Structures are given as C-alpha cells and as structure tokens.
Amino acid sequence: GMLFSYRDGVVTMVATDSKRLAMTERAVENVSGGNGDCIIPLQAANEIKRQADPQDNVTLEIGEKMARL
C-alpha cells in the first residue's frame, strides 16, 4: 500500500513493494482540516496513477474511515 501523511502543510507519501521503500514530500496548498494519515491500497494507487493527468491538480479528502481523490 501507500501511506499519505499530512503534517503542517506538507504531504509525505511512502510506498513499498516488500523489497524497496520510496518516500517523497510535497508542500500543498488550499488545505482545510488538520493533520492526518491514511493508507491507500496498492491496486487503488495504481488505478489513480493510470487515470490521473500529470498536468492536473489532485484533490485528496481524508475522513475517519475513507479517503477520496
């Protein structure tokens, strides 16, 4: 899976394939709400990658029991 963690204006994304670990951090704009974490299943992350346009902005909403892009 893929961990999304939001803290103080920065989103940290961490993913693994059981052999390697990758991490990236990005400053984000237009944030409402507070700090939080969620794990996106690998299959869902691959589907997002397949459908997303690299030139577009992505909206991520994290709730108590769900995440929506």
Side-chain angles (χ1 to χ4, degrees), residues 1-49:
M2 192 172 182
L3 170 70
F4 283 81
S5 179
Y6 174 75
R7 299 278 185 270
D8 303 321
V10 176
V11 171
T12 303
M13 294 163 276
V14 180
T16 183
D17 66 358
S18 300
K19 297 177 186 174
R20 297 169 288 194
L21 183 66
M23 183 185 91
T24 186
E25 292 183 329
R26 299 279 191 259
V28 293
E29 302 172 358
N30 302 326
V31 175
S32 61
N35 296 336
D37 305 309
C38 75
I39 297 174
I40 305 293
L42 184 58
Q43 188 173 10
N46 286 333
E47 186 65 19
I48 293 164
K49 180 182 174 185

